[in-house]
């Protein structure tokens, strides 16, 4: 049980100072280095979590350090591990999962860390779609799901009203999104619709939401020798619609990764598909009425909507540390697992409540009824997943996403047709998958 330590005052403080450096040294807390990729409002959240934990006990001190974007921090940690100075805890986004799983000797499974630390670890407490993604075939959970997100739809109600659209009616289907974008354009809006993380929102979640495979071998869950399947008639049709909207100026490409995120809360773009984790920024910065809705879909596709893809990141424990340090890591992970800590994080950030208890506590508190749309991410993810929709776990996924960015950018530039771009993305992406399969036989 963590106790809150109060600051020393008066004679007690003087006595503490006079007790000398030897005692101070003996009581110095064990430092736990935590590398992360959370910036802006989410960076404040991570720092607050560490502060809250550090104030709750005096044996350990968690030191959070921002290490750049997800791909930058992952590359930095791999280099640091090779040099023998990796952090204790590394936040890795979901596309790095297969690579981390294959990094034998570089990581220690969180199940082992928690059990060795004396904490009872129960994987059934987690939302199944979340736990399943980070669990090995032997049932052992490998990383701790700190900030699991999914793709959702945000729209500016004030902009809708100005364009003559019903501000209380979010577009449910893709044809409705494109029709709304045209009306917003006609009303003078310079950026009617954009998206962040184009591969994640428009291909990965898009595929799962339509109960369609993104890659063979059940999206890589059934083996390393998977191949991409993102040039089907459904995928091509969707990108043809995006290309037409791009040409008309009703879809505006705002860059890779989460670079487009700022364009929605600032009011620049009226609609965006992005992470549920963007909620922290929207709720803090938006100076307009906004709505949150489910990811759009094509009504004529059998099995749609199914469930969306997991996003966000998890915490991996790096190998090669001292037993006392691992005890501190276990203690911190146990703190993060507290239902109240979980529920508060979910409500603050828009990330999923990764335990069922945190979801129930949030629901009982009236949070969802007071903040309409904040339960969208949860309801999208707790639907029963099929083999086609339980997630995507591919090797060299980082490189594959970069290829998808490169190829789809050729569409917006008018240099390739959607079919040409997606065909090339499949060819180039499959080369990465073959390379990974060869290296991890």
């Amino acid at each position: 049980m963590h106790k809150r330590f109060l600051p020393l005052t008066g004679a007690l403080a003087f006595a503490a100072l006079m007790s000398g450096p030897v005692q101070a040294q003996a009581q110095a807390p064990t430092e736990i280095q935590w590398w992360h990729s959370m910036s802006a409002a989410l960076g404040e959240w991570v720092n607050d979590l560490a502060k809250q934990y550090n104030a709750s006990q005096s044996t350990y001190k968690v030191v959070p350090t921002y290490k750049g974007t997800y791909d930058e921090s992952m590359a930095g940690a791999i280099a640091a591990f090779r040099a023998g100075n990796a952090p204790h805890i590394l936040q890795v986004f979901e596309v790095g999962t297969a690579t981390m799983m294959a990094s034998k000797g570089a990581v220690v499974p969180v199940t082992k860390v928690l059990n060795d630390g004396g904490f009872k670890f129960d994987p059934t407490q987690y939302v199944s779609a979340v736990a399943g993604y980070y669990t090995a075939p032997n049932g052992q959970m490998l990383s701790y799901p700190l900030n699991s997100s999914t793709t959702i739809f945000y729209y500016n109600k004030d902009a809708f009203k100005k364009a003559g659209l019903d501000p209380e009616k979010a577009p449910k289907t893709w044809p409705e999104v494109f029709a709304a974008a045209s009306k917003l354009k006609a009303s003078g809006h310079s950026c009617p619709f954009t998206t962040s993380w184009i591969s994640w929102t428009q291909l990965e979640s898009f595929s799962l939401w339509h109960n369609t495979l993104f890659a063979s071998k059940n999206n890589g869950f059934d083996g390393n020798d998977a191949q991409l399947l993102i040039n089907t008639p459904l995928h091509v049709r969707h990108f043809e619609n995006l290309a037409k909207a791009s040409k008309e100026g009703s879809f505006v490409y705002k860059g890779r990764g989460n670079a487009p995120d700022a364009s929605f809360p600032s009011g620049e773009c009226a609609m965006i598909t992005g992470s549920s984790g963007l909620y922290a920024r929207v709720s803090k910065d938006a100076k307009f009425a906004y709505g949150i809705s489910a990811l759009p879909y094509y009504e004529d596709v059998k099995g749609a909507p199914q469930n969306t893809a997991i996003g966000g990141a998890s915490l991996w424990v790096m190998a090669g540390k001292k037993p006392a340090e691992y005890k501190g890591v276990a203690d911190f992970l146990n703190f993060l697992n507290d239902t109240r800590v979980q529920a508060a994080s979910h409500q603050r950030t828009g990330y999923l409540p990764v335990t069922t208890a945190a979801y129930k506590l949030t629901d009982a508190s009236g949070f969802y009824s007071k903040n309409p749309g904040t339960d969208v991410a949860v309801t999208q993810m707790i639907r029963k997943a099929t083999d086609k929709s339980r997630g995507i776990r591919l090797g060299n996924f980082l490189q594959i996403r970069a290829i998808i960015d490169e190829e789809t950018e050729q569409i917006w530039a008018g240099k390739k047709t959607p079919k040409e771009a997606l065909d090339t993305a499949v060819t180039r992406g499959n080369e990465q998958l073959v390379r990974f399969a060869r290296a991890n036989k």
Side-chain angles (χ1 to χ4, degrees), residues 74-93:
M74 193 169 165
I78 290 166
F81 177 76
R82 286 177 183 146
N85 55 4
H88 299 84
I89 302 170
L90 173 67
Q91 183 192 30
V92 178
F93 60 163

Side-chain angles (χ1 to χ4, degrees), residues 124-293:
T124 62
Q125 68 186 305
Y126 298 97
V127 174
S128 60
V130 174
Y133 192 82
Y134 296 114
T135 298
N138 67 0
Q140 188 177 47
M141 198 188 248
L142 300 174
S143 61
Y144 181 80
L146 172 76
N147 56 309
S148 291
S149 63
T150 195
T151 44
I152 59 175
F153 182 83
Y154 300 85
Y155 69 102
N156 182 327
K157 290 186 174 184
D158 294 353
F160 264 48
K161 204 180 276 183
K162 190 185 166 195
L165 293 158
D166 184 349
E168 300 311 318
K169 198 178 169 204
K172 293 261 184 290
T173 66
W174 280 112
E176 285 173 6
V177 171
F178 295 123
S182 294
K183 281 200 171 181
L184 285 157
K185 175 78 179 157
S187 75
H189 216 291
S190 62
C191 177
F193 169 60
T194 192
T195 186
S196 57
W197 301 106
I198 204 148
S199 173
W200 183 45
T201 62
Q202 306 306 313
L203 284 169
E204 296 162 39
S205 255
F206 176 87
S207 299
L208 271 57
W209 198 223
H210 289 87
N211 202 28
T212 299
L213 286 171
F214 176 89
S216 64
K217 292 280 177 175
N218 282 329
N219 293 322
F221 271 76
D222 295 348
N224 280 343
D225 52 338
Q227 294 207 309
L228 297 181
L229 301 170
I230 55 170
N231 56 349
T232 70
L234 173 64
H235 294 104
V236 171
R237 163 186 163 194
H238 182 52
F239 273 79
E240 281 172 351
N241 289 334
L242 287 169
K244 183 171 175 276
S246 173
K247 213 169 183 181
E248 291 167 356
S250 55
F251 165 65
V252 181
Y253 178 68
K254 303 291 286 183
R256 299 184 185 186
N258 66 350
D261 280 355
S263 67
F264 181 74
S266 70
E268 183 192 348
C269 295
M271 300 184 288
I272 188 170
T273 46
S275 169
S276 57
L278 178 56
Y279 174 74
R281 200 163 174 179
V282 173
S283 62
K284 189 180 173 206
D285 297 341
K287 303 288 186 281
F288 52 84
Y290 58 87
I292 304 170
S293 187

